[in-house]
PDB file of all heavy atoms in Angstrom:
ATOM      1  N   ASN A  71      -0.106  10.817 -23.494  1.00 98.00           N
ATOM      2  CA  ASN A  71       0.026  10.849 -22.034  1.00 98.00           C
ATOM      3  C   ASN A  71       1.138  11.762 -21.523  1.00 98.00           C
ATOM      4  O   ASN A  71       1.678  11.552 -20.442  1.00 98.00           O
ATOM      5  CB  ASN A  71       0.171   9.439 -21.450  1.00 98.00           C
ATOM      6  CG  ASN A  71      -1.087   8.650 -21.628  1.00 98.00           C
ATOM      7  OD1 ASN A  71      -2.186   9.171 -21.463  1.00 98.00           O
ATOM      8  ND2 ASN A  71      -0.953   7.383 -21.983  1.00 98.00           N
ATOM      9  N   GLN A  72       1.449  12.788 -22.294  1.00 98.00           N
ATOM     10  CA  GLN A  72       2.374  13.803 -21.807  1.00 98.00           C
ATOM     11  C   GLN A  72       1.601  14.805 -20.976  1.00 98.00           C
ATOM     12  O   GLN A  72       0.475  15.177 -21.321  1.00 98.00           O
ATOM     13  CB  GLN A  72       3.043  14.540 -22.962  1.00 98.00           C
ATOM     14  CG  GLN A  72       4.145  13.772 -23.622  1.00 98.00           C
ATOM     15  CD  GLN A  72       4.880  14.654 -24.623  1.00 98.00           C
ATOM     16  OE1 GLN A  72       4.258  15.350 -25.415  1.00 98.00           O
ATOM     17  NE2 GLN A  72       6.191  14.625 -24.557  1.00 98.00           N
ATOM     18  N   VAL A  73       2.209  15.257 -19.898  1.00 98.00           N
ATOM     19  CA  VAL A  73       1.593  16.264 -19.040  1.00 98.00           C
ATOM     20  C   VAL A  73       1.614  17.603 -19.769  1.00 98.00           C
ATOM     21  O   VAL A  73       2.680  18.088 -20.153  1.00 98.00           O
ATOM     22  CB  VAL A  73       2.335  16.369 -17.690  1.00 98.00           C
ATOM     23  CG1 VAL A  73       1.785  17.517 -16.861  1.00 98.00           C
ATOM     24  CG2 VAL A  73       2.252  15.055 -16.924  1.00 98.00           C
ATOM     25  N   LEU A  74       0.423  18.167 -19.967  1.00 98.00           N
ATOM     26  CA  LEU A  74       0.302  19.474 -20.623  1.00 98.00           C
ATOM     27  C   LEU A  74       0.111  20.599 -19.617  1.00 98.00           C
ATOM     28  O   LEU A  74       0.492  21.739 -19.868  1.00 98.00           O
ATOM     29  CB  LEU A  74      -0.875  19.471 -21.595  1.00 98.00           C
ATOM     30  CG  LEU A  74      -0.783  18.479 -22.753  1.00 98.00           C
ATOM     31  CD1 LEU A  74      -2.053  18.525 -23.584  1.00 98.00           C
ATOM     32  CD2 LEU A  74       0.440  18.761 -23.604  1.00 98.00           C
ATOM     33  N   GLY A  75      -0.508  20.271 -18.485  1.00 98.00           N
ATOM     34  CA  GLY A  75      -0.760  21.278 -17.463  1.00 98.00           C
ATOM     35  C   GLY A  75      -1.604  20.706 -16.349  1.00 98.00           C
ATOM     36  O   GLY A  75      -2.016  19.545 -16.390  1.00 98.00           O
ATOM     37  N   TRP A  76      -1.866  21.529 -15.354  1.00 98.00           N
ATOM     38  CA  TRP A  76      -2.669  21.103 -14.214  1.00 98.00           C
ATOM     39  C   TRP A  76      -3.283  22.318 -13.552  1.00 98.00           C
ATOM     40  O   TRP A  76      -2.860  23.451 -13.775  1.00 98.00           O
ATOM     41  CB  TRP A  76      -1.846  20.297 -13.215  1.00 98.00           C
ATOM     42  CG  TRP A  76      -0.638  21.026 -12.712  1.00 98.00           C
ATOM     43  CD1 TRP A  76      -0.564  21.889 -11.657  1.00 98.00           C
ATOM     44  CD2 TRP A  76       0.681  20.956 -13.267  1.00 98.00           C
ATOM     45  NE1 TRP A  76       0.716  22.367 -11.513  1.00 98.00           N
ATOM     46  CE2 TRP A  76       1.504  21.811 -12.493  1.00 98.00           C
ATOM     47  CE3 TRP A  76       1.255  20.270 -14.331  1.00 98.00           C
ATOM     48  CZ2 TRP A  76       2.843  21.975 -12.752  1.00 98.00           C
ATOM     49  CZ3 TRP A  76       2.597  20.443 -14.592  1.00 98.00           C
ATOM     50  CH2 TRP A  76       3.379  21.284 -13.808  1.00 98.00           C
ATOM     51  N   ARG A  77      -4.294  22.065 -12.772  1.00 98.00           N
ATOM     52  CA  ARG A  77      -4.946  23.101 -11.967  1.00 98.00           C
ATOM     53  C   ARG A  77      -5.138  22.514 -10.570  1.00 98.00           C
ATOM     54  O   ARG A  77      -5.566  21.372 -10.437  1.00 98.00           O
ATOM     55  CB  ARG A  77      -6.316  23.503 -12.517  1.00 98.00           C
ATOM     56  CG  ARG A  77      -6.374  23.874 -13.977  1.00 98.00           C
ATOM     57  CD  ARG A  77      -5.677  25.201 -14.288  1.00 98.00           C
ATOM     58  NE  ARG A  77      -5.821  25.541 -15.688  1.00 98.00           N
ATOM     59  CZ  ARG A  77      -5.100  25.023 -16.682  1.00 98.00           C
ATOM     60  NH1 ARG A  77      -4.190  24.119 -16.445  1.00 98.00           N
ATOM     61  NH2 ARG A  77      -5.307  25.416 -17.928  1.00 98.00           N
ATOM     62  N   GLU A  78      -4.858  23.310  -9.579  1.00 98.00           N
ATOM     63  CA  GLU A  78      -5.006  22.842  -8.204  1.00 98.00           C
ATOM     64  C   GLU A  78      -6.189  23.522  -7.533  1.00 98.00           C
ATOM     65  O   GLU A  78      -6.466  24.696  -7.766  1.00 98.00           O
ATOM     66  CB  GLU A  78      -3.723  23.139  -7.415  1.00 98.00           C
ATOM     67  CG  GLU A  78      -2.520  22.372  -7.940  1.00 98.00           C
ATOM     68  CD  GLU A  78      -1.270  22.645  -7.146  1.00 98.00           C
ATOM     69  OE1 GLU A  78      -1.180  22.141  -6.004  1.00 98.00           O
ATOM     70  OE2 GLU A  78      -0.396  23.368  -7.667  1.00 98.00           O
ATOM     71  N   ASN A  79      -6.883  22.745  -6.704  1.00 98.00           N
ATOM     72  CA  ASN A  79      -7.945  23.268  -5.856  1.00 98.00           C
ATOM     73  C   ASN A  79      -9.007  24.043  -6.646  1.00 98.00           C
ATOM     74  O   ASN A  79      -9.353  25.175  -6.300  1.00 98.00           O
ATOM     75  CB  ASN A  79      -7.344  24.139  -4.749  1.00 98.00           C
ATOM     76  CG  ASN A  79      -8.267  24.260  -3.570  1.00 98.00           C
ATOM     77  OD1 ASN A  79      -9.046  23.357  -3.276  1.00 98.00           O
ATOM     78  ND2 ASN A  79      -8.203  25.387  -2.885  1.00 98.00           N
ATOM     79  N   VAL A  80      -9.513  23.418  -7.716  1.00 97.00           N
ATOM     80  CA  VAL A  80     -10.568  24.038  -8.526  1.00 97.00           C
ATOM     81  C   VAL A  80     -11.872  23.955  -7.728  1.00 97.00           C
ATOM     82  O   VAL A  80     -12.380  22.871  -7.451  1.00 97.00           O
ATOM     83  CB  VAL A  80     -10.714  23.347  -9.895  1.00 97.00           C
ATOM     84  CG1 VAL A  80     -11.854  23.968 -10.689  1.00 97.00           C
ATOM     85  CG2 VAL A  80      -9.395  23.430 -10.662  1.00 97.00           C
ATOM     86  N   ALA A  81     -12.384  25.103  -7.356  1.00 97.00           N
ATOM     87  CA  ALA A  81     -13.558  25.181  -6.483  1.00 97.00           C
ATOM     88  C   ALA A  81     -14.831  24.739  -7.220  1.00 97.00           C
ATOM     89  O   ALA A  81     -14.880  24.739  -8.450  1.00 97.00           O
ATOM     90  CB  ALA A  81     -13.727  26.618  -5.994  1.00 97.00           C
ATOM     91  N   PRO A  82     -15.870  24.362  -6.460  1.00 94.00           N
ATOM     92  CA  PRO A  82     -17.163  24.061  -7.082  1.00 94.00           C
ATOM     93  C   PRO A  82     -17.671  25.256  -7.893  1.00 94.00           C
ATOM     94  O   PRO A  82     -17.364  26.406  -7.586  1.00 94.00           O
ATOM     95  CB  PRO A  82     -18.069  23.778  -5.886  1.00 94.00           C
ATOM     96  CG  PRO A  82     -17.136  23.301  -4.811  1.00 94.00           C
ATOM     97  CD  PRO A  82     -15.880  24.115  -5.014  1.00 94.00           C
ATOM     98  N   TRP A  83     -18.426  24.947  -8.931  1.00 95.00           N
ATOM     99  CA  TRP A  83     -19.046  25.933  -9.814  1.00 95.00           C
ATOM    100  C   TRP A  83     -18.019  26.723 -10.636  1.00 95.00           C
ATOM    101  O   TRP A  83     -18.190  27.892 -10.916  1.00 95.00           O
ATOM    102  CB  TRP A  83     -19.996  26.853  -9.043  1.00 95.00           C
ATOM    103  CG  TRP A  83     -21.093  26.072  -8.405  1.00 95.00           C
ATOM    104  CD1 TRP A  83     -21.121  25.604  -7.122  1.00 95.00           C
ATOM    105  CD2 TRP A  83     -22.284  25.602  -9.030  1.00 95.00           C
ATOM    106  NE1 TRP A  83     -22.275  24.875  -6.909  1.00 95.00           N
ATOM    107  CE2 TRP A  83     -23.010  24.866  -8.072  1.00 95.00           C
ATOM    108  CE3 TRP A  83     -22.821  25.732 -10.319  1.00 95.00           C
ATOM    109  CZ2 TRP A  83     -24.223  24.261  -8.354  1.00 95.00           C
ATOM    110  CZ3 TRP A  83     -24.037  25.141 -10.592  1.00 95.00           C
ATOM    111  CH2 TRP A  83     -24.724  24.413  -9.608  1.00 95.00           C
ATOM    112  N   ARG A  84     -16.930  26.048 -11.014  1.00 96.00           N
ATOM    113  CA  ARG A  84     -15.894  26.649 -11.853  1.00 96.00           C
ATOM    114  C   ARG A  84     -15.667  25.754 -13.078  1.00 96.00           C
ATOM    115  O   ARG A  84     -16.169  24.664 -13.171  1.00 96.00           O
ATOM    116  CB  ARG A  84     -14.565  26.787 -11.095  1.00 96.00           C
ATOM    117  CG  ARG A  84     -14.621  27.619  -9.831  1.00 96.00           C
ATOM    118  CD  ARG A  84     -14.853  29.089 -10.144  1.00 96.00           C
ATOM    119  NE  ARG A  84     -14.693  29.934  -8.987  1.00 96.00           N
ATOM    120  CZ  ARG A  84     -15.659  30.229  -8.134  1.00 96.00           C
ATOM    121  NH1 ARG A  84     -16.859  29.716  -8.271  1.00 96.00           N
ATOM    122  NH2 ARG A  84     -15.438  31.033  -7.112  1.00 96.00           N
ATOM    123  N   ALA A  85     -14.844  26.221 -13.993  1.00 96.00           N
ATOM    124  CA  ALA A  85     -14.463  25.448 -15.172  1.00 96.00           C
ATOM    125  C   ALA A  85     -12.963  25.610 -15.392  1.00 96.00           C
ATOM    126  O   ALA A  85     -12.363  26.600 -14.970  1.00 96.00           O
ATOM    127  CB  ALA A  85     -15.221  25.919 -16.395  1.00 96.00           C
ATOM    128  N   ALA A  86     -12.351  24.619 -16.043  1.00 97.00           N
ATOM    129  CA  ALA A  86     -10.926  24.665 -16.361  1.00 97.00           C
ATOM    130  C   ALA A  86     -10.708  23.906 -17.661  1.00 97.00           C
ATOM    131  O   ALA A  86     -11.394  22.919 -17.932  1.00 97.00           O
ATOM    132  CB  ALA A  86     -10.099  24.059 -15.231  1.00 97.00           C
ATOM    133  N   SER A  87      -9.741  24.367 -18.438  1.00 98.00           N
ATOM    134  CA  SER A  87      -9.443  23.694 -19.697  1.00 98.00           C
ATOM    135  C   SER A  87      -7.953  23.790 -19.987  1.00 98.00           C
ATOM    136  O   SER A  87      -7.228  24.581 -19.374  1.00 98.00           O
ATOM    137  CB  SER A  87     -10.244  24.305 -20.844  1.00 98.00           C
ATOM    138  OG  SER A  87      -9.877  25.646 -21.043  1.00 98.00           O
ATOM    139  N   GLN A  88      -7.521  22.965 -20.951  1.00 98.00           N
ATOM    140  CA  GLN A  88      -6.120  22.978 -21.373  1.00 98.00           C
ATOM    141  C   GLN A  88      -6.072  22.712 -22.864  1.00 98.00           C
ATOM    142  O   GLN A  88      -6.522  21.649 -23.311  1.00 98.00           O
ATOM    143  CB  GLN A  88      -5.328  21.899 -20.627  1.00 98.00           C
ATOM    144  CG  GLN A  88      -3.873  21.799 -21.032  1.00 98.00           C
ATOM    145  CD  GLN A  88      -3.063  23.006 -20.592  1.00 98.00           C
ATOM    146  OE1 GLN A  88      -3.136  23.410 -19.446  1.00 98.00           O
ATOM    147  NE2 GLN A  88      -2.295  23.584 -21.501  1.00 98.00           N
ATOM    148  N   ARG A  89      -5.556  23.664 -23.614  1.00 97.00           N
ATOM    149  CA  ARG A  89      -5.433  23.495 -25.064  1.00 97.00           C
ATOM    150  C   ARG A  89      -4.592  22.261 -25.376  1.00 97.00           C
ATOM    151  O   ARG A  89      -3.536  22.060 -24.777  1.00 97.00           O
ATOM    152  CB  ARG A  89      -4.795  24.718 -25.687  1.00 97.00           C
ATOM    153  CG  ARG A  89      -4.563  24.559 -27.186  1.00 97.00           C
ATOM    154  CD  ARG A  89      -4.021  25.780 -27.801  1.00 97.00           C
ATOM    155  NE  ARG A  89      -5.160  26.678 -27.965  1.00 97.00           N
ATOM    156  CZ  ARG A  89      -5.059  27.958 -28.229  1.00 97.00           C
ATOM    157  NH1 ARG A  89      -3.874  28.509 -28.315  1.00 97.00           N
ATOM    158  NH2 ARG A  89      -6.114  28.693 -28.394  1.00 97.00           N
TER     159      ARG A  89
END
Side-chain angles (χ1 to χ4, degrees):
N71 293 320
Q72 283 188 314
V73 174
L74 298 176
W76 56 87
R77 309 290 183 281
E78 295 181 73
N79 202 30
V80 178
W83 300 95
R84 301 291 190 272
S87 64
Q88 178 69 49
R89 176 176 281 166

